[in-house]
Amino acid sequence: MADAIIDTVASVPVAVIGAGPAGLMLAHLLGRAGVETIVVDTRTRREIETTQRAGILEADAARDLVETGVSDRILREGHEHEGTELRFGGRAHRLDFKELVGESVWLYPQTDVFIDLADARERDGGTVRFGVSDTEVLDITTDAPRVRYTAPDGSRHEIRAKYVVGADGSRSMCRDLVPEDQRVRYGREYPFAWFGIMAEAPMSAPELVYAHSEHGFALISQRTRTVQRMYFQCSPDESVDAWPDHRIWETLQARVAGEDGFRLKEGPISEKTVLRFRSFVQEPMRWGSMLLAGDAAHTVPPTGARGLNLALHDVKVLSDVLLRALGGAGEAVLDEYQPRALQRVWRAQNFSYWMTQLLHTAPGGTPFDLRRQLGELDNVVGTRAGRSYLAEQYTGWPARSRG
């Protein structure tokens, strides 16, 4: 599209590729400080807000949504969880986050975080272009990068910026702009996936339930009082067509069964999906005038509920360094971004990997492997140090209380 006629040219300090929570939160934080942005995304707003995504928010992330003026809806419609339950060996073990580390988490779907942020951008007069195509990011090794895109009406536009932020998700185009010989990609593919369902049923438990069994892993989560989200471990190549409702419920019930008689409350299943997952980090997170944030730079398995929180932490750090760079501190301050972000990223990678291997049954696992896992789980719930470790990692090292 390099030769296409450009219909309009706009100049802003920061152009953002990707209008998910990371991109919109960055635009919101910069906008509060008087820095104008233009955000573009290939998806329509409706496509994003009708893609159902679960979400556990750290206390700090929930506070940021409220205190920076995005919305207080999380306080009205979200569910504060002061702990979680591990089920293994046929018994339930509750970890009390509040008692252990003085923090909690919030069950609040990523879809709702997006809606709140999109509404806030519209309310505040921010510029977000949904449904664009043919996006190009040019001249990122100069101090005058450009973004070109085609609007839904076919017109062609150019954004001239000081900095470009790639927040375009796990299939990022922006991260590929870092030359292959200048980037390092770390990753791990997992030999299992999650089969996820949305069910019209009452809550089976007041908080999340992580279940380990010889049959495999299951996660029992909540959506509303009448709609629930649940997952169970499956093959990455599993077909949803092979799973009628009765087979799904039999599988889930077997994986949470125990001597306490706990059973899930069943109902019609309205959605089925297979969620593959992997661990991934790309370095560097900055190349010239372009910086990467969120899933564009890193992804984690969903077991530890860190993905959305990492994205929001990235842009919290990034907004700080961008504001200082634009405010006179100079471009050198951007060098702070990667080490500050990556410290938390690698902590989260470690925790997510640990939770994943702790709770899932690996293909080809032996009876020894199963008993060893049970021993590790017993160490986690049976010692103060083990319980505190999981609670601190899961609630996300909130800055206000623990540094």
Side-chain angles (χ1 to χ4, degrees), residues 49-374:
E49 67 186 17
T50 56
T51 300
Q52 295 298 327
R53 302 276 304 271
I56 291 289
L57 286 182
E58 301 166 4
D60 273 2
R63 280 190 286 258
D64 285 344
L65 290 176
V66 176
E67 293 179 3
T68 67
V70 175
S71 171
D72 66 354
R73 187 162 69 105
I74 187 172
L75 302 178
R76 293 178 279 109
E77 299 181 21
H79 301 276
E80 185 177 13
H81 286 187
E82 296 185 354
T84 196
E85 181 179 299
L86 296 183
R87 290 186 64 82
F88 63 92
R91 294 189 295 126
H93 309 265
R94 183 176 184 270
L95 281 74
D96 189 327
F97 297 157
K98 278 284 192 181
E99 186 270 331
L100 289 163
V101 296
E103 281 292 5
S104 60
V105 294
W106 286 80
L107 178 68
Y108 194 63
Q110 181 171 324
T111 309
D112 289 344
V113 175
F114 164 77
I115 292 170
D116 291 346
L117 285 163
D119 286 348
R121 285 280 75 211
E122 187 173 338
R123 175 200 69 204
D124 297 342
T127 303
V128 183
R129 306 298 188 203
F130 292 105
V132 308
S133 58
D134 304 318
T135 306
E136 299 175 290
V137 180
L138 308 169
D139 303 331
I140 59 172
T141 57
T142 74
D143 59 2
R146 296 174 293 144
V147 175
R148 289 182 171 181
Y149 66 93
T150 301
D153 64 3
S155 58
R156 189 72 175 157
H157 305 271
E158 179 173 291
I159 308 167
R160 296 177 181 174
K162 178 68 175 174
Y163 301 109
V164 174
V165 174
D168 51 339
S170 59
R171 298 179 181 177
S172 172
M173 168 269 292
C174 290
R175 69 173 172 229
D176 290 337
L177 298 177
V178 181
E180 188 172 358
D181 62 349
Q182 298 295 318
R183 69 190 185 219
V184 180
R185 290 178 172 175
Y186 304 92
R188 175 178 289 273
E189 299 287 339
Y190 291 83
F192 35 72
W194 280 3
F195 195 109
I197 66 165
M198 195 83 83
E200 298 173 20
M203 289 183 178
S204 296
E207 297 170 331
L208 267 65
V209 177
Y210 287 84
H212 170 281
S213 81
E214 60 182 336
H215 306 293
F217 168 79
L219 171 61
I220 310 307
S221 180
Q222 303 81 20
R223 185 67 169 81
T224 68
R225 294 191 179 279
T226 58
V227 178
Q228 314 309 321
R229 170 76 72 176
M230 305 182 191
Y231 304 90
F232 61 86
Q233 178 183 340
C234 69
S235 165
D237 300 319
E238 200 69 63
S239 169
V240 296
D241 296 332
W243 287 85
D245 289 11
H246 70 86
R247 185 185 177 199
I248 291 172
W249 287 118
E250 287 173 1
T251 299
L252 283 166
Q253 296 286 14
R255 295 189 185 186
V256 302
E259 58 192 42
D260 58 0
F262 177 71
R263 284 187 62 80
L264 301 174
K265 296 176 181 178
E266 300 183 11
I269 295 173
S270 57
E271 180 183 306
K272 305 175 187 179
T273 186
V274 173
L275 175 64
R276 296 185 178 210
F277 51 91
R278 62 175 182 151
S279 299
F280 172 84
V281 180
Q282 173 166 307
E283 297 179 23
M285 292 177 67
R286 175 194 170 197
W287 185 253
S289 299
M290 181 187 72
L291 304 102
L292 301 174
D295 286 358
H298 46 75
T299 57
V300 292
T303 323
R306 297 274 64 85
L308 174 57
N309 292 289
L310 281 181
L312 294 176
H313 183 263
D314 279 357
V315 298
K316 190 173 183 177
V317 174
L318 186 52
S319 65
D320 172 59
V321 297
L322 282 172
L323 288 173
R324 286 192 285 139
L326 292 166
E331 190 170 302
V333 76
L334 297 180
D335 292 338
E336 294 180 19
Y337 171 55
Q338 177 169 303
R340 287 175 61 185
L342 282 182
Q343 181 184 32
R344 197 176 185 96
V345 167
W346 282 111
R347 275 188 177 188
Q349 289 288 358
N350 175 66
F351 175 62
S352 298
Y353 176 83
W354 176 73
M355 280 279 283
T356 300
Q357 64 83 29
L358 177 70
L359 293 164
H360 291 75
T361 303
T366 66
F368 173 86
D369 296 324
L370 176 62
R371 295 304 295 267
R372 188 211 60 77
Q373 276 184 313
L374 292 172

